[in-house]
Amino acid sequence: MSKIESILACALVSGAALLMTSCSDNARFVGTWNGISPVDMSVRMPDVVRATSVVSVDFTLNQHKTGGPIGLSGKLDVVKSLPGDSASSGVPYQLSIPAMASVRGVWTYDIDDDDDLLVNLDMSSLKVTVDHEGVRWLGNVPSAGADSLAAVTAATCERELSHAAYTDFSRFTVINDVDVDKSGSKMSFVIHSPEAEIYFVKAATE
């Protein structure tokens, strides 16, 4: 190896080490964060009155400090409208359906900017579960078959939510402008399709 090649090789090694140190120093976002920004999902579920998701995120740093596992979980709140009848004077019934969604993946730093992250989600790990105990009627309750109607509607909604959650979590595959405040207790970053800045608070450690 020539002297010039040796110098270039050393420079590359030093640069890589410096980048890894910089990324490690800036990895203040590692940990579990609870979302405080509801994301509107109704555009992906047009037959609902309301559909929102509050996403929490868990970042883990691997031993090489180049990235690591990530877990996303969403607290979903859906209100579906069902046709009214004579008992409700034609006013539609509304059913509140709470659910949870989760998915796992791996994050890495964007080589161009260490406050931007690239996320590879394993969509085969996607799980959506309706809280059947929490399903409830809002306002008027059907006079006949209310429980069975609620159960059938919740089961149908669970399938619809799986598709909506898939699309919603896909917005996290590129994360920009990760910012943790000086206290280390608040974080924000930008997701896309459509672009939105969302906010988190650090989860309490036991």
Side-chain angles (χ1 to χ4, degrees), residues 13-85:
V13 171
S14 299
L18 182 61
L19 177 60
M20 184 176 295
T21 300
S22 173
C23 291
S24 175
D25 290 343
N26 291 336
R28 298 174 63 234
F29 58 85
V30 169
T32 302
W33 299 84
N34 295 326
I36 57 175
S37 305
V39 175
D40 184 11
M41 298 175 66
S42 59
V43 67
R44 289 177 282 282
M45 301 180 69
D47 61 338
V48 301
V49 176
R50 181 179 72 246
T52 59
S53 169
V54 179
V55 176
S56 296
V57 58
D58 179 58
F59 290 105
T60 302
L61 189 64
N62 63 26
Q63 63 178 350
H64 302 295
K65 303 185 186 303
T66 56
I70 183 174
L72 299 174
S73 60
K75 184 178 181 181
L76 314 179
D77 177 32
V78 177
V79 175
K80 294 206 71 167
S81 178
L82 299 166
D85 54 22

Side-chain angles (χ1 to χ4, degrees), residues 21-188:
T21 300
S22 173
C23 291
S24 175
D25 290 343
N26 291 336
R28 298 174 63 234
F29 58 85
V30 169
T32 302
W33 299 84
N34 295 326
I36 57 175
S37 305
V39 175
D40 184 11
M41 298 175 66
S42 59
V43 67
R44 289 177 282 282
M45 301 180 69
D47 61 338
V48 301
V49 176
R50 181 179 72 246
T52 59
S53 169
V54 179
V55 176
S56 296
V57 58
D58 179 58
F59 290 105
T60 302
L61 189 64
N62 63 26
Q63 63 178 350
H64 302 295
K65 303 185 186 303
T66 56
I70 183 174
L72 299 174
S73 60
K75 184 178 181 181
L76 314 179
D77 177 32
V78 177
V79 175
K80 294 206 71 167
S81 178
L82 299 166
D85 54 22
S86 58
S88 67
S89 300
V91 176
Y93 295 106
Q94 291 190 352
L95 186 66
S96 174
I97 305 173
M100 291 294 298
S102 62
V103 69
R104 300 187 304 273
V106 176
W107 68 270
T108 57
Y109 291 104
D110 186 332
I111 193 170
D112 295 324
D113 196 336
D114 64 9
D115 69 352
D116 294 343
L117 308 177
L118 304 177
V119 178
N120 182 17
L121 294 175
D122 175 12
M123 287 304 186
S124 68
S125 71
L126 176 64
K127 184 178 181 180
V128 175
T129 306
V130 166
D131 174 12
H132 291 277
E133 295 295 323
V135 174
R136 61 190 178 90
W137 294 100
L138 303 178
N140 292 331
V141 177
S143 57
D147 290 343
S148 60
L149 180 58
V152 170
T153 303
T156 302
C157 185
E158 191 168 61
R159 293 190 292 271
E160 294 173 350
L161 278 171
S162 294
H163 175 72
Y166 182 103
T167 304
D168 196 43
F169 284 144
S170 295
R171 300 177 65 198
F172 289 77
T173 53
V174 176
I175 295 175
N176 294 126
D177 303 328
V178 179
D179 181 53
V180 179
D181 74 348
K182 291 182 179 180
S183 70
S185 62
K186 297 178 182 179
M187 177 179 70
S188 66

